[in-house]
Structure formats: structure tokens, C-alpha cells
Amino acid sequence: MDFSARKVRMAYRMLYETVQDIWRGGWSNWVVISILTSVLAIFGFVLQLSFGLNLIGQKLTDQLEFSVYLSDTVDVRDFAVIVGKLAYVKRVEVIDKDVAWDEFKRNFTIAEDIQNPLPNTIHVRVANPEYLKSTITAVRSMLGVTDINYAPGVLGFINKLKTLFQVVGIMMAILLGIVTIVITGNTIQLVIHSRQNEIEVLRLMGVEDWYIKGPLIFQGIFYAIISATLAIIPLYLLQAFLWDTAQNLIGSALPTGLPQCYAGNIFQIYYILFVVGIIVSGSGCFWSTRKYLKI
Amino acid sequence: MIHFVNVTKKYGELKALDDVSFQIPAGEMVFIVGPSGAGKSTIMRLLYREEKPTSGQVFVSNVDVSRLPNNQTPLLRRRMGVIFQDFKLLQNKTSFENIAYPLFAIGMDHNEIKKRVHGALKVVSLTNKANDFPRNLSGGEQQRVGVARAIVQGPSLLIADEPTGNLDPATSMEIFQLLEKINQRGTTVMIATHNQQIVDQMRKRVIVMNNGKIVSDVQAGTYIPQPQ
């Protein structure tokens, strides 16, 4: 009982010392926070782009269905039943050539003697975008198929862009992570130097190592929490701006469900920035206390 | 209480201590005197494990501190009080906070801390300065805060390295009398000092050092000071 109460009191005192150190740091805290915020914001921007492209790609792929044009030698409904039994096919819609022609004639003025030139068509949607290509290949090999239409170019482009941003994102994350570790490490080094005398006194009074190092590590974590919170603000505003612009320009063309997914991503990005911030800032402090704090 | 056994301490080629041996029983008050570079401070630093001997053994309460693992050093230091020439007070903390700091660091109950700190302030006659910052205290008062901080954990050994080096003679005498009072309560006190005049008056055991060697070790009242 006494042991745990003692631990709680020690933890409280360490937090108290941390707050005092931060308070005493004054403007130097804001120097670290602003640098760390910038680094996290850039990192977050790369993440946001990567997430956004991933999401758009996913939504486009999800909504992609392919159209199959059939010769008059096959019965369109029988054909639809066979395709519907293929693995990963989610839905098959039959567009009867006569129904389509009637519809066409209703919308356009057509001479009565013109024969129906439209083929029987089915629209096929697959359950998983991964199997889109294999399903198309399977359907193409069936008898009576004259043509298949889908948009492979868009999908390929999105995938290439996604890969590019993932590679760039990982490289930038590593680079910025190292920069952040060095920056916070150097800041803590300055704190250690400015408190050299105090640290020596604590050592000589028999204060434990971790009690001296703890507030410095906590200080790094504090920087990370504040910086991640500040970094998410411009990212959120940028996202809102881009979303509004996209709505105004191509509102109806945007895939359904995108805003909800994108809104969810901002929390995911914050969570990542928070964790990354704590890891890099904490690592910087830990490295600095190990290197410069000889106890 | 303290036992140095053939202790040698070298800094490169320089011998700060050369085969030094002595014993100090519990409850004694001992002065270590000698010119600058004689090795007085090295003895102190070996005691609170700021340095390790190049050879030989240093025992404090039968524990060989020269072989103490690093993680045990804080515990050793908490069992002894150390007083420094430059006081080593935390400038941004009040007298109370300076004295209480080592107690907070071990998670002591706040009421117990208050009791102990006020007790220590009473011993050094500074109860009215508990909330003053070091910058508002005189040199003598700052050193008394240093003494209070050193005794607040109730150590059985108090070591003072040139405790009056920055103080005038009258204030120095007050500090030595304070240390004597603490010694009379049963604490072993070891003081390294230049202040031969006060050592003469205190009539305690005196270990005289020169060039890293003990040149004389005389019991209380028998010390004949060297001409200045």
C-alpha cells in the first residue's frame, strides 16, 4: 500500500517537475513546438495525399463495372444467369436491346424504318475490385461476346500515383523522422546544458537517474502532443478547402461515400501524427539524455 | 564508519592520493586540512562515489563504495549528507523546496516532508526564511540551507567540502559550530577545510594532508598548527 502510494507520489512529482521545466523554458518551448509542428504537418500532408489517392482509387475501382456486348446468337438472360454464377460477380444487370432501342427512340427523333442497331448488353459488377480483371478475362472467353467495355486507364493511373506517393511518403517519413529526432535531441541537449548545475545537485543528493531523466522525456512527449494537435489544424483546413473546391467543380462526379471516408481519415492522420510525434520526439529526448546526461 | 585502505587515486600521471589509509569511527568529528591540491577534495569525492580509487578500498559503514554498482550510488548518497563550498542550491526553488527536493524524489508523504524540513530549518535557525529564494539569502544563510538539506534525511555521515570557503570568518565560525552541534547529536562529521584558525579553536581530530599523503593524524586537542 505504502509502496504504491510512494510510486504515485513520485510520478506526480515527476509530472510536476516537467510542468515547471516547460514553464521555465518559455519561448524556447515554442521554437521546438513550431519546428516539430512543421515537420509533422509536412509528414501529415504526404499521408493525407497518399490516403486521399488510395481512397479515390478504391472508390473508383469499387464503382467500376464492365459492360458486355453480345451477339444476337445468344439469349441475353441465359447468358446473364451464367455470368451471375461466376465467382466474385456481385450483380448482373440485363439491358435488352429492344428496351434500349425504345428508350433511345423516345429521346431522339429516329426514322421508323431504321433497324435496331443496338446489341444486347449486360452490366457486371464484381464483389472485389481485385478480381475485376480476371472476371473480365473469363467473360471475354465466353461464346457470343462481341465486345467488353471498361476503364482500365483511370485505374492504372490512380494505382501508379498511389504507389508513387507511398514511396515518396515512406522516404519523407524516414527523412523527417531523423530530422525531428535531431531537433528535439538538440533542444533537450540545450535544456540539459542550461540545467547542468541543477542536475549535478540532484545527482549528488542521491536522486535516482530516472527521476532526473523522466521530466526531460516527458517534456519531449509534451512537445509531440502539442505539435500533433497544431499540425492537424492546417491539414484539416486544407482538406476542407480541397473538398469544397472538388464539390463545386465536379460535385456530381465524385464517388459516393467519399466525404464520410475522408472525414474519418483526418482522425486516422491525427492518430498517426500523435504516435509518430511521440516516437520521434521521445527518441530525440532519450538519445539526448543518454548522450549528454552523464549520471 | 569510514575506512580508507591503501587508497591511491591517479588523474593521468598525477597522483591525487598516494596510498592513503585511515579510519574514522562513528560519531566522530574530523577535519582534513592541507594546502590546495593536497587531496582533501579527492577524499570527499571518493566517499560520495563521485570518483573511484585507482587502487585500494573505501569503506563507508562496512560497504566498499569503490565496488558499489552504479545503480546503488543514489542510495549511498541518500545515506550521507554532503555540504559544498558553493552551496549548490537550486536558484529557482525556495529554501523549503531546496531542502525538501531529495525527499520529494523518493516519494515521501507530504506531511512527513513538511515535518522534516521544518525540523531541519529549526536546527539551522532559518525557520523564518523557509519561503525565501537563495538570491534573497546571505552567503551564511545559503550555506545553512545547504546544511539543512544535507541533514534532512537523517544521515549517519555528514561530509563537508570546504563549507566555509566562500564565507567571512564570523559566519564560518557559526557554520562550524552548527556542524559541531549536529555531531553532538550522533552524526559522524568529516570536514575538508583550509580554515586553520577555526580548526585550531574547534579542538577535534585533524588529518593533515600534503601532496596526496597523510602527513599527520592527531586526536582531538593535540593538533599543533603549522606556522602560516
Side-chain angles (χ1 to χ4, degrees):
Chain A
M1 176 66 183
D2 181 53
F3 180 72
S4 56
R6 188 174 282 252
K7 291 246 168 189
V8 169
R9 283 195 292 267
M10 286 165 90
Y12 166 76
R13 279 306 296 189
M14 262 179 30
L15 284 173
Y16 177 81
E17 294 296 329
T18 307
V19 172
Q20 273 207 332
D21 286 348
I22 291 166
W23 184 254
R24 254 185 274 157
W27 282 103
S28 70
N29 291 314
W30 291 107
V31 173
V32 186
I33 288 170
S34 58
I35 295 168
L36 191 54
T37 302
S38 313
V39 168
L40 287 177
I42 295 168
F43 177 59
F45 180 64
V46 174
L47 261 184
Q48 201 177 27
L49 273 180
S50 181
F51 272 0
L53 283 170
N54 201 13
L55 199 62
I56 290 170
Q58 215 171 32
K59 287 285 165 195
L60 281 176
T61 312
D62 198 32
Q63 290 190 7
L64 271 181
E65 55 182 22
F66 60 94
S67 304
V68 183
Y69 305 110
L70 303 170
S71 71
D72 291 341
T73 56
V74 293
D75 182 87
V76 66
R77 284 180 180 76
D78 290 347
F79 190 89
V81 171
I82 295 166
V83 171
K85 284 179 181 166
L86 288 175
Y88 311 116
V89 170
K90 192 177 171 186
R91 200 184 66 194
V92 180
E93 189 188 352
V94 174
I95 314 290
D96 187 282
K97 61 183 271 186
D98 297 327
V99 176
W101 182 240
D102 288 343
E103 180 80 11
F104 191 79
K105 281 197 292 187
R106 260 202 303 278
N107 294 323
F108 302 96
T109 313
I110 305 287
E112 281 298 321
D113 56 342
I114 293 178
Q115 290 292 305
N116 182 356
L118 300 175
N120 280 318
T121 307
I122 59 169
H123 292 306
V124 182
R125 179 174 285 194
V126 290
N128 189 331
E130 254 180 72
Y131 301 105
L132 181 68
K133 278 191 175 172
S134 58
T135 310
I136 287 171
T137 311
V139 174
R140 198 189 290 281
S141 65
M142 290 177 169
L143 275 175
V145 175
T146 56
D147 199 9
I148 286 181
N149 193 11
Y150 75 113
V154 179
L155 192 60
F157 176 70
I158 292 285
N159 278 334
K160 272 183 192 164
L161 216 57
K162 214 168 70 184
T163 312
L164 176 75
F165 273 100
Q166 273 167 355
V167 172
V168 171
I170 289 168
M171 282 168 65
M172 279 189 81
I174 293 169
L175 191 72
L176 295 176
I178 294 168
V179 169
T180 312
I181 288 173
V182 172
I183 291 168
T184 45
N186 283 340
T187 309
I188 295 298
Q189 181 196 348
L190 290 177
V191 175
I192 291 169
H193 277 297
S194 69
R195 293 180 52 202
Q196 201 74 50
N197 187 40
E198 187 178 328
I199 289 167
E200 192 195 350
V201 175
L202 301 182
R203 259 181 352 98
L204 295 175
M205 286 192 297
V207 174
E208 302 278 352
D209 295 8
W210 56 265
Y211 191 89
I212 299 172
K213 286 178 180 172
L216 296 167
I217 307 276
F218 281 160
Q219 207 166 330
I221 293 170
F222 167 81
Y223 291 148
I225 293 169
I226 299 290
S227 302
T229 307
L230 290 177
I232 204 71
I233 295 170
L235 293 177
Y236 177 77
L237 293 176
L238 179 72
Q239 179 179 296
F241 169 75
L242 289 178
W243 181 250
D244 283 350
T245 310
Q247 283 279 27
N248 291 336
L249 292 176
I250 49 162
S252 58
L254 286 171
T256 54
L258 198 58
Q260 291 81 359
C261 290
Y262 215 41
N265 270 347
I266 202 80
F267 292 108
Q268 210 175 342
I269 289 170
Y270 178 68
Y271 175 71
I272 293 172
L273 291 188
F274 188 74
V275 173
V276 168
I278 285 177
I279 291 171
V280 291
S281 181
S283 305
C285 295
F286 185 71
W287 162 70
S288 195
T289 50
R290 274 188 76 92
K291 189 168 180 193
Y292 300 106
L293 194 60
K294 301 290 179 209
I295 297 179
Chain B
M1 168 56 81
I2 296 171
H3 193 184
F4 272 56
V5 185
N6 305 114
V7 175
T8 296
K9 175 67 187 173
K10 284 185 185 175
Y11 296 102
E13 287 304 302
L14 182 78
K15 267 188 182 172
L17 289 182
D18 187 3
D19 198 26
V20 169
S21 296
F22 65 89
Q23 280 193 61
I24 297 174
E28 195 168 16
M29 182 166 178
V30 180
F31 286 99
I32 299 183
V33 298
S36 294
K40 307 185 295 291
S41 292
T42 306
I43 286 181
M44 297 298 178
R45 291 163 72 83
L46 288 169
L47 276 173
Y48 56 78
R49 193 41 165 65
E50 185 70 351
E51 304 276 1
K52 281 183 180 179
T54 309
S55 63
Q57 289 167 295
V58 178
F59 291 93
V60 176
S61 301
N62 296 321
V63 174
D64 185 355
V65 298
S66 52
R67 282 176 178 74
L68 203 64
N70 282 344
N71 60 2
Q72 295 291 312
T73 308
L75 188 63
L76 167 82
R77 288 175 179 166
R78 289 202 294 271
R79 286 183 179 167
M80 59 173 74
V82 187
I83 301 163
F84 306 94
Q85 178 175 352
D86 56 356
F87 322 134
K88 292 204 187 297
L89 298 180
L90 304 175
Q91 294 301 314
N92 54 343
K93 294 195 188 295
T94 63
S95 302
F96 181 95
E97 289 167 337
N98 263 287
I99 300 164
Y101 200 96
L103 305 179
F104 279 127
I106 57 167
M108 190 178 277
D109 174 65
H110 195 72
N111 290 330
E112 178 67 17
I113 292 175
K114 266 168 102 173
K115 206 170 92 183
R116 285 198 185 208
V117 173
H118 284 300
L121 280 167
K122 206 170 159 190
V123 171
V124 300
S125 310
L126 275 182
T127 43
N128 57 333
K129 303 276 184 179
N131 296 319
D132 286 18
F133 285 92
R135 61 178 172 275
N136 300 325
L137 301 174
S138 69
E141 287 170 334
Q142 287 189 53
Q143 190 56 295
R144 282 196 273 160
V145 173
V147 173
R149 184 183 61 193
I151 61 169
V152 75
Q153 296 196 70
S156 51
L157 171 66
L158 188 63
I159 56 179
D161 192 2
E162 299 284 1
T164 58
N166 291 354
L167 304 176
D168 61 72
T171 314
S172 299
M173 194 63 208
E174 279 175 24
I175 295 295
F176 280 116
Q177 282 168 348
L178 176 60
L179 295 176
E180 190 179 27
K181 191 167 94 180
I182 293 165
N183 170 246
Q184 282 163 359
R185 294 174 172 206
T187 307
T188 308
V189 179
M190 190 171 173
I191 306 163
T193 182
H194 271 105
N195 202 328
Q196 209 158 325
Q197 203 183 358
I198 291 179
V199 173
D200 300 345
Q201 292 176 32
M202 298 294 288
R203 303 182 68 78
K204 299 286 180 187
R205 179 181 167 192
V206 180
I207 297 172
V208 183
M209 298 200 63
N210 199 7
N211 289 328
K213 286 177 180 287
I214 293 177
V215 291
S216 80
D217 183 352
V218 292
Q219 294 305 310
T222 58
Y223 172 60
I224 303 164
Q226 301 299 305
Q228 296 278 314

